[in-house]
């Protein structure tokens, strides 16, 4: 399957950041399992600054999704549908997110609903 038919996942962040390293580990663990429908790239946004303002890359780690050169949005319940800017600890949970976004993208949807609601992730 060519890259044009797969979901492109880009992790923006700083390689030395702890949250970023944790997310990189999850991405590395799921890369083989999702290689049939997704391709994963890592981008250090302190070195490549072209996208910082365009995508508002101010967090330690940000994961964005693209399909056929179109930005895919996902409603995680956090209010920010453009990107995933929090840690995900479970690799199966991340695979489920990728599958949901890919299936929605194949159907022509630009916005999909996450399989899990993260609005109550941090309870105070």
């Amino acid at each position: 399957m060519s890259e044009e038919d797969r979901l492109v996942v880009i992790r923006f962040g700083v390689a030395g950041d702890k949250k970023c390293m944790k997310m990189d580990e999850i991405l590395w663990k799921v890369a083989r399992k999702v290689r049939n429908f997704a391709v994963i790239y890592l981008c250090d946004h302190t070195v490549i600054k072209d996208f910082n303002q365009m995508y508002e890359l101010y967090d330690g780690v940000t994961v964005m999704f693209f399909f056929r050169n179109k930005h895919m949005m996902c409603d995680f319940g956090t209010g920010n549908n453009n990107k995933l800017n929090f840690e995900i600890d479970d690799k199966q949970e991340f695979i489920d997110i990728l599958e949901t976004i890919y299936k929605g993208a194949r159907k022509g949807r630009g916005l999909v609903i996450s399989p899990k609601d993260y609005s109550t992730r941090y309870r105070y």
Side-chain angles (χ1 to χ4, degrees), residues 11-14 17 19-20 43-46 52 55-64 80 83-87:
R11 188 276 295 148
F12 295 97
V14 182
D17 185 53
K19 288 182 180 182
C20 200
C43 177
D44 190 331
H45 66 80
T46 58
N52 290 355
Y55 293 127
E56 300 175 357
L57 303 174
Y58 308 119
D59 301 308
V61 61
T62 302
V63 180
M64 297 186 74
N80 189 350
K83 56 194 172 190
L84 186 139
N85 57 359
F86 51 88
E87 295 175 55

PDB file of all heavy atoms in Angstrom, residues 11-14 17 19-20 43-46 52 55-64 80 83-87:
ATOM      1  N   ARG A  11       4.544  13.065  14.614  1.00  0.00           N
ATOM      2  CA  ARG A  11       4.742  13.475  16.005  1.00  0.00           C
ATOM      3  C   ARG A  11       5.682  14.679  15.992  1.00  0.00           C
ATOM      4  O   ARG A  11       6.828  14.595  15.596  1.00  0.00           O
ATOM      5  CB  ARG A  11       5.344  12.334  16.828  1.00  0.00           C
ATOM      6  CG  ARG A  11       5.411  12.619  18.332  1.00  0.00           C
ATOM      7  CD  ARG A  11       6.603  13.405  18.801  1.00  0.00           C
ATOM      8  NE  ARG A  11       7.854  12.692  18.600  1.00  0.00           N
ATOM      9  CZ  ARG A  11       9.010  13.304  18.339  1.00  0.00           C
ATOM     10  NH1 ARG A  11       9.099  14.598  18.214  1.00  0.00           N
ATOM     11  NH2 ARG A  11      10.112  12.598  18.169  1.00  0.00           N
ATOM     12  N   PHE A  12       5.172  15.824  16.425  1.00  0.00           N
ATOM     13  CA  PHE A  12       5.983  17.018  16.590  1.00  0.00           C
ATOM     14  C   PHE A  12       6.382  17.109  18.050  1.00  0.00           C
ATOM     15  O   PHE A  12       5.555  16.912  18.934  1.00  0.00           O
ATOM     16  CB  PHE A  12       5.195  18.277  16.211  1.00  0.00           C
ATOM     17  CG  PHE A  12       4.812  18.347  14.764  1.00  0.00           C
ATOM     18  CD1 PHE A  12       3.561  17.943  14.346  1.00  0.00           C
ATOM     19  CD2 PHE A  12       5.708  18.825  13.830  1.00  0.00           C
ATOM     20  CE1 PHE A  12       3.195  18.020  13.014  1.00  0.00           C
ATOM     21  CE2 PHE A  12       5.356  18.906  12.492  1.00  0.00           C
ATOM     22  CZ  PHE A  12       4.099  18.496  12.088  1.00  0.00           C
ATOM     23  N   GLY A  13       7.637  17.407  18.319  1.00  0.00           N
ATOM     24  CA  GLY A  13       8.096  17.540  19.692  1.00  0.00           C
ATOM     25  C   GLY A  13       9.593  17.705  19.742  1.00  0.00           C
ATOM     26  O   GLY A  13      10.257  17.860  18.719  1.00  0.00           O
ATOM     27  N   VAL A  14      10.125  17.659  20.953  1.00  0.00           N
ATOM     28  CA  VAL A  14      11.559  17.761  21.176  1.00  0.00           C
ATOM     29  C   VAL A  14      12.040  16.398  21.641  1.00  0.00           C
ATOM     30  O   VAL A  14      11.502  15.837  22.595  1.00  0.00           O
ATOM     31  CB  VAL A  14      11.866  18.844  22.234  1.00  0.00           C
ATOM     32  CG1 VAL A  14      13.355  18.992  22.436  1.00  0.00           C
ATOM     33  CG2 VAL A  14      11.244  20.160  21.838  1.00  0.00           C
ATOM     34  N   ASP A  17      12.597  15.604  25.467  1.00  0.00           N
ATOM     35  CA  ASP A  17      11.507  15.811  26.414  1.00  0.00           C
ATOM     36  C   ASP A  17      10.967  14.466  26.903  1.00  0.00           C
ATOM     37  O   ASP A  17      10.778  13.536  26.124  1.00  0.00           O
ATOM     38  CB  ASP A  17      10.398  16.617  25.723  1.00  0.00           C
ATOM     39  CG  ASP A  17       9.271  16.973  26.667  1.00  0.00           C
ATOM     40  OD1 ASP A  17       9.563  17.544  27.730  1.00  0.00           O
ATOM     41  OD2 ASP A  17       8.110  16.677  26.329  1.00  0.00           O
ATOM     42  N   LYS A  19       7.944  13.554  28.066  1.00  0.00           N
ATOM     43  CA  LYS A  19       6.643  13.198  27.491  1.00  0.00           C
ATOM     44  C   LYS A  19       6.806  12.744  26.044  1.00  0.00           C
ATOM     45  O   LYS A  19       6.148  11.809  25.596  1.00  0.00           O
ATOM     46  CB  LYS A  19       5.689  14.389  27.544  1.00  0.00           C
ATOM     47  CG  LYS A  19       5.180  14.723  28.905  1.00  0.00           C
ATOM     48  CD  LYS A  19       4.202  15.875  28.843  1.00  0.00           C
ATOM     49  CE  LYS A  19       3.677  16.218  30.220  1.00  0.00           C
ATOM     50  NZ  LYS A  19       2.698  17.302  30.162  1.00  0.00           N
ATOM     51  N   CYS A  20       7.687  13.427  25.345  1.00  0.00           N
ATOM     52  CA  CYS A  20       7.926  13.098  23.941  1.00  0.00           C
ATOM     53  C   CYS A  20       8.572  11.713  23.814  1.00  0.00           C
ATOM     54  O   CYS A  20       8.211  10.926  22.935  1.00  0.00           O
ATOM     55  CB  CYS A  20       8.823  14.166  23.321  1.00  0.00           C
ATOM     56  SG  CYS A  20       8.732  14.225  21.554  1.00  0.00           S
ATOM     57  N   CYS A  43       9.099  14.508  14.024  1.00  0.00           N
ATOM     58  CA  CYS A  43       9.610  15.809  13.609  1.00  0.00           C
ATOM     59  C   CYS A  43       9.953  16.625  14.853  1.00  0.00           C
ATOM     60  O   CYS A  43       9.102  16.827  15.719  1.00  0.00           O
ATOM     61  CB  CYS A  43       8.567  16.539  12.765  1.00  0.00           C
ATOM     62  SG  CYS A  43       9.076  18.183  12.269  1.00  0.00           S
ATOM     63  N   ASP A  44      11.187  17.067  14.942  1.00  0.00           N
ATOM     64  CA  ASP A  44      11.620  17.924  16.044  1.00  0.00           C
ATOM     65  C   ASP A  44      11.251  19.361  15.670  1.00  0.00           C
ATOM     66  O   ASP A  44      11.849  19.945  14.777  1.00  0.00           O
ATOM     67  CB  ASP A  44      13.120  17.792  16.264  1.00  0.00           C
ATOM     68  CG  ASP A  44      13.589  18.461  17.539  1.00  0.00           C
ATOM     69  OD1 ASP A  44      12.953  19.451  17.967  1.00  0.00           O
ATOM     70  OD2 ASP A  44      14.596  18.008  18.104  1.00  0.00           O
ATOM     71  N   HIS A  45      10.265  19.933  16.354  1.00  0.00           N
ATOM     72  CA  HIS A  45       9.778  21.255  15.962  1.00  0.00           C
ATOM     73  C   HIS A  45      10.701  22.395  16.379  1.00  0.00           C
ATOM     74  O   HIS A  45      10.442  23.546  16.049  1.00  0.00           O
ATOM     75  CB  HIS A  45       8.335  21.499  16.426  1.00  0.00           C
ATOM     76  CG  HIS A  45       8.147  21.579  17.902  1.00  0.00           C
ATOM     77  ND1 HIS A  45       8.432  22.700  18.630  1.00  0.00           N
ATOM     78  CD2 HIS A  45       7.660  20.673  18.777  1.00  0.00           C
ATOM     79  CE1 HIS A  45       8.145  22.481  19.896  1.00  0.00           C
ATOM     80  NE2 HIS A  45       7.679  21.264  20.004  1.00  0.00           N
ATOM     81  N   THR A  46      11.788  22.090  17.091  1.00  0.00           N
ATOM     82  CA  THR A  46      12.778  23.135  17.360  1.00  0.00           C
ATOM     83  C   THR A  46      13.780  23.234  16.212  1.00  0.00           C
ATOM     84  O   THR A  46      14.385  24.276  16.015  1.00  0.00           O
ATOM     85  CB  THR A  46      13.535  22.860  18.672  1.00  0.00           C
ATOM     86  OG1 THR A  46      14.181  21.585  18.589  1.00  0.00           O
ATOM     87  CG2 THR A  46      12.593  22.885  19.859  1.00  0.00           C
ATOM     88  N   ASN A  52       5.432  25.443  13.167  1.00  0.00           N
ATOM     89  CA  ASN A  52       5.108  25.847  14.539  1.00  0.00           C
ATOM     90  C   ASN A  52       3.936  26.810  14.608  1.00  0.00           C
ATOM     91  O   ASN A  52       3.014  26.625  15.403  1.00  0.00           O
ATOM     92  CB  ASN A  52       6.323  26.458  15.224  1.00  0.00           C
ATOM     93  CG  ASN A  52       7.381  25.421  15.519  1.00  0.00           C
ATOM     94  OD1 ASN A  52       7.189  24.237  15.294  1.00  0.00           O
ATOM     95  ND2 ASN A  52       8.520  25.869  16.011  1.00  0.00           N
ATOM     96  N   TYR A  55       0.440  25.243  12.771  1.00  0.00           N
ATOM     97  CA  TYR A  55      -0.285  24.222  13.529  1.00  0.00           C
ATOM     98  C   TYR A  55      -0.302  24.482  15.032  1.00  0.00           C
ATOM     99  O   TYR A  55      -0.729  23.627  15.802  1.00  0.00           O
ATOM    100  CB  TYR A  55       0.309  22.840  13.249  1.00  0.00           C
ATOM    101  CG  TYR A  55       0.107  22.378  11.833  1.00  0.00           C
ATOM    102  CD1 TYR A  55       1.187  21.947  11.064  1.00  0.00           C
ATOM    103  CD2 TYR A  55      -1.149  22.367  11.244  1.00  0.00           C
ATOM    104  CE1 TYR A  55       1.010  21.520   9.755  1.00  0.00           C
ATOM    105  CE2 TYR A  55      -1.332  21.947   9.951  1.00  0.00           C
ATOM    106  CZ  TYR A  55      -0.250  21.524   9.214  1.00  0.00           C
ATOM    107  OH  TYR A  55      -0.433  21.097   7.923  1.00  0.00           O
ATOM    108  N   GLU A  56       0.188  25.633  15.461  1.00  0.00           N
ATOM    109  CA  GLU A  56       0.224  26.012  16.876  1.00  0.00           C
ATOM    110  C   GLU A  56       0.901  24.933  17.726  1.00  0.00           C
ATOM    111  O   GLU A  56       0.306  24.376  18.641  1.00  0.00           O
ATOM    112  CB  GLU A  56      -1.182  26.304  17.380  1.00  0.00           C
ATOM    113  CG  GLU A  56      -1.860  27.440  16.642  1.00  0.00           C
ATOM    114  CD  GLU A  56      -3.299  27.650  17.050  1.00  0.00           C
ATOM    115  OE1 GLU A  56      -3.818  26.867  17.886  1.00  0.00           O
ATOM    116  OE2 GLU A  56      -3.912  28.588  16.538  1.00  0.00           O
ATOM    117  N   LEU A  57       2.147  24.664  17.407  1.00  0.00           N
ATOM    118  CA  LEU A  57       2.905  23.612  18.077  1.00  0.00           C
ATOM    119  C   LEU A  57       3.644  24.188  19.282  1.00  0.00           C
ATOM    120  O   LEU A  57       4.817  24.497  19.225  1.00  0.00           O
ATOM    121  CB  LEU A  57       3.894  22.972  17.098  1.00  0.00           C
ATOM    122  CG  LEU A  57       3.284  22.386  15.838  1.00  0.00           C
ATOM    123  CD1 LEU A  57       4.367  21.912  14.892  1.00  0.00           C
ATOM    124  CD2 LEU A  57       2.343  21.252  16.180  1.00  0.00           C
ATOM    125  N   TYR A  58       2.932  24.319  20.392  1.00  0.00           N
ATOM    126  CA  TYR A  58       3.510  24.893  21.596  1.00  0.00           C
ATOM    127  C   TYR A  58       3.666  23.871  22.711  1.00  0.00           C
ATOM    128  O   TYR A  58       4.287  24.146  23.717  1.00  0.00           O
ATOM    129  CB  TYR A  58       2.644  26.060  22.088  1.00  0.00           C
ATOM    130  CG  TYR A  58       2.365  27.076  21.007  1.00  0.00           C
ATOM    131  CD1 TYR A  58       1.066  27.349  20.611  1.00  0.00           C
ATOM    132  CD2 TYR A  58       3.409  27.740  20.371  1.00  0.00           C
ATOM    133  CE1 TYR A  58       0.806  28.276  19.617  1.00  0.00           C
ATOM    134  CE2 TYR A  58       3.159  28.669  19.373  1.00  0.00           C
ATOM    135  CZ  TYR A  58       1.859  28.935  19.005  1.00  0.00           C
ATOM    136  OH  TYR A  58       1.609  29.836  18.015  1.00  0.00           O
ATOM    137  N   ASP A  59       3.090  22.704  22.548  1.00  0.00           N
ATOM    138  CA  ASP A  59       3.129  21.673  23.590  1.00  0.00           C
ATOM    139  C   ASP A  59       4.407  20.850  23.470  1.00  0.00           C
ATOM    140  O   ASP A  59       5.070  20.856  22.436  1.00  0.00           O
ATOM    141  CB  ASP A  59       1.906  20.764  23.464  1.00  0.00           C
ATOM    142  CG  ASP A  59       0.611  21.546  23.602  1.00  0.00           C
ATOM    143  OD1 ASP A  59       0.470  22.277  24.593  1.00  0.00           O
ATOM    144  OD2 ASP A  59      -0.249  21.421  22.706  1.00  0.00           O
ATOM    145  N   GLY A  60       4.716  20.107  24.529  1.00  0.00           N
ATOM    146  CA  GLY A  60       5.904  19.261  24.514  1.00  0.00           C
ATOM    147  C   GLY A  60       5.834  18.173  23.465  1.00  0.00           C
ATOM    148  O   GLY A  60       6.819  17.846  22.819  1.00  0.00           O
ATOM    149  N   VAL A  61       4.655  17.605  23.299  1.00  0.00           N
ATOM    150  CA  VAL A  61       4.452  16.572  22.287  1.00  0.00           C
ATOM    151  C   VAL A  61       3.085  16.805  21.627  1.00  0.00           C
ATOM    152  O   VAL A  61       2.100  17.085  22.297  1.00  0.00           O
ATOM    153  CB  VAL A  61       4.543  15.150  22.886  1.00  0.00           C
ATOM    154  CG1 VAL A  61       3.502  14.910  23.943  1.00  0.00           C
ATOM    155  CG2 VAL A  61       4.465  14.099  21.813  1.00  0.00           C
ATOM    156  N   THR A  62       3.083  16.744  20.309  1.00  0.00           N
ATOM    157  CA  THR A  62       1.858  16.924  19.534  1.00  0.00           C
ATOM    158  C   THR A  62       1.839  15.886  18.429  1.00  0.00           C
ATOM    159  O   THR A  62       2.823  15.726  17.717  1.00  0.00           O
ATOM    160  CB  THR A  62       1.808  18.328  18.905  1.00  0.00           C
ATOM    161  OG1 THR A  62       1.889  19.300  19.947  1.00  0.00           O
ATOM    162  CG2 THR A  62       0.534  18.529  18.126  1.00  0.00           C
ATOM    163  N   VAL A  63       0.732  15.180  18.285  1.00  0.00           N
ATOM    164  CA  VAL A  63       0.581  14.193  17.216  1.00  0.00           C
ATOM    165  C   VAL A  63      -0.542  14.679  16.301  1.00  0.00           C
ATOM    166  O   VAL A  63      -1.636  15.009  16.768  1.00  0.00           O
ATOM    167  CB  VAL A  63       0.258  12.794  17.778  1.00  0.00           C
ATOM    168  CG1 VAL A  63       0.100  11.783  16.657  1.00  0.00           C
ATOM    169  CG2 VAL A  63       1.336  12.349  18.751  1.00  0.00           C
ATOM    170  N   MET A  64      -0.236  14.725  14.999  1.00  0.00           N
ATOM    171  CA  MET A  64      -1.229  15.160  14.016  1.00  0.00           C
ATOM    172  C   MET A  64      -1.403  14.078  12.968  1.00  0.00           C
ATOM    173  O   MET A  64      -0.503  13.270  12.737  1.00  0.00           O
ATOM    174  CB  MET A  64      -0.802  16.480  13.379  1.00  0.00           C
ATOM    175  CG  MET A  64      -0.730  17.615  14.382  1.00  0.00           C
ATOM    176  SD  MET A  64      -0.403  19.193  13.636  1.00  0.00           S
ATOM    177  CE  MET A  64      -1.979  19.525  12.890  1.00  0.00           C
ATOM    178  N   ASN A  80      -9.765  20.564  21.635  1.00  0.00           N
ATOM    179  CA  ASN A  80      -8.839  20.773  20.528  1.00  0.00           C
ATOM    180  C   ASN A  80      -8.951  19.596  19.578  1.00  0.00           C
ATOM    181  O   ASN A  80      -8.453  18.508  19.854  1.00  0.00           O
ATOM    182  CB  ASN A  80      -7.408  20.914  21.045  1.00  0.00           C
ATOM    183  CG  ASN A  80      -6.446  21.338  19.965  1.00  0.00           C
ATOM    184  OD1 ASN A  80      -6.778  21.352  18.787  1.00  0.00           O
ATOM    185  ND2 ASN A  80      -5.242  21.692  20.365  1.00  0.00           N
ATOM    186  N   LYS A  83      -5.373  18.258  16.935  1.00  0.00           N
ATOM    187  CA  LYS A  83      -4.186  17.457  17.262  1.00  0.00           C
ATOM    188  C   LYS A  83      -4.372  16.728  18.581  1.00  0.00           C
ATOM    189  O   LYS A  83      -5.238  17.062  19.381  1.00  0.00           O
ATOM    190  CB  LYS A  83      -2.966  18.373  17.341  1.00  0.00           C
ATOM    191  CG  LYS A  83      -3.131  19.511  18.332  1.00  0.00           C
ATOM    192  CD  LYS A  83      -2.075  20.573  18.151  1.00  0.00           C
ATOM    193  CE  LYS A  83      -2.391  21.780  19.021  1.00  0.00           C
ATOM    194  NZ  LYS A  83      -1.558  22.904  18.707  1.00  0.00           N
ATOM    195  N   LEU A  84      -3.525  15.748  18.780  1.00  0.00           N
ATOM    196  CA  LEU A  84      -3.471  15.023  20.041  1.00  0.00           C
ATOM    197  C   LEU A  84      -2.280  15.604  20.789  1.00  0.00           C
ATOM    198  O   LEU A  84      -1.143  15.432  20.357  1.00  0.00           O
ATOM    199  CB  LEU A  84      -3.283  13.529  19.764  1.00  0.00           C
ATOM    200  CG  LEU A  84      -3.333  12.599  20.952  1.00  0.00           C
ATOM    201  CD1 LEU A  84      -4.117  11.357  20.572  1.00  0.00           C
ATOM    202  CD2 LEU A  84      -1.955  12.204  21.391  1.00  0.00           C
ATOM    203  N   ASN A  85      -2.520  16.316  21.881  1.00  0.00           N
ATOM    204  CA  ASN A  85      -1.425  16.968  22.595  1.00  0.00           C
ATOM    205  C   ASN A  85      -1.318  16.505  24.050  1.00  0.00           C
ATOM    206  O   ASN A  85      -0.967  17.266  24.924  1.00  0.00           O
ATOM    207  CB  ASN A  85      -1.555  18.493  22.516  1.00  0.00           C
ATOM    208  CG  ASN A  85      -2.869  18.994  23.045  1.00  0.00           C
ATOM    209  OD1 ASN A  85      -3.715  18.221  23.464  1.00  0.00           O
ATOM    210  ND2 ASN A  85      -3.054  20.296  23.030  1.00  0.00           N
ATOM    211  N   PHE A  86      -1.629  15.256  24.269  1.00  0.00           N
ATOM    212  CA  PHE A  86      -1.476  14.653  25.594  1.00  0.00           C
ATOM    213  C   PHE A  86      -0.928  13.237  25.416  1.00  0.00           C
ATOM    214  O   PHE A  86      -0.965  12.685  24.326  1.00  0.00           O
ATOM    215  CB  PHE A  86      -2.818  14.632  26.346  1.00  0.00           C
ATOM    216  CG  PHE A  86      -3.954  14.045  25.569  1.00  0.00           C
ATOM    217  CD1 PHE A  86      -4.203  12.681  25.609  1.00  0.00           C
ATOM    218  CD2 PHE A  86      -4.773  14.848  24.782  1.00  0.00           C
ATOM    219  CE1 PHE A  86      -5.242  12.127  24.874  1.00  0.00           C
ATOM    220  CE2 PHE A  86      -5.820  14.301  24.058  1.00  0.00           C
ATOM    221  CZ  PHE A  86      -6.056  12.948  24.103  1.00  0.00           C
ATOM    222  N   GLU A  87      -0.420  12.704  26.495  1.00  0.00           N
ATOM    223  CA  GLU A  87       0.189  11.366  26.439  1.00  0.00           C
ATOM    224  C   GLU A  87      -0.882  10.288  26.393  1.00  0.00           C
ATOM    225  O   GLU A  87      -1.915  10.396  27.034  1.00  0.00           O
ATOM    226  CB  GLU A  87       1.031  11.114  27.683  1.00  0.00           C
ATOM    227  CG  GLU A  87       2.220  11.996  27.844  1.00  0.00           C
ATOM    228  CD  GLU A  87       2.900  11.729  29.169  1.00  0.00           C
ATOM    229  OE1 GLU A  87       3.252  10.558  29.427  1.00  0.00           O
ATOM    230  OE2 GLU A  87       3.061  12.668  29.945  1.00  0.00           O
TER     231      GLU A  87
END
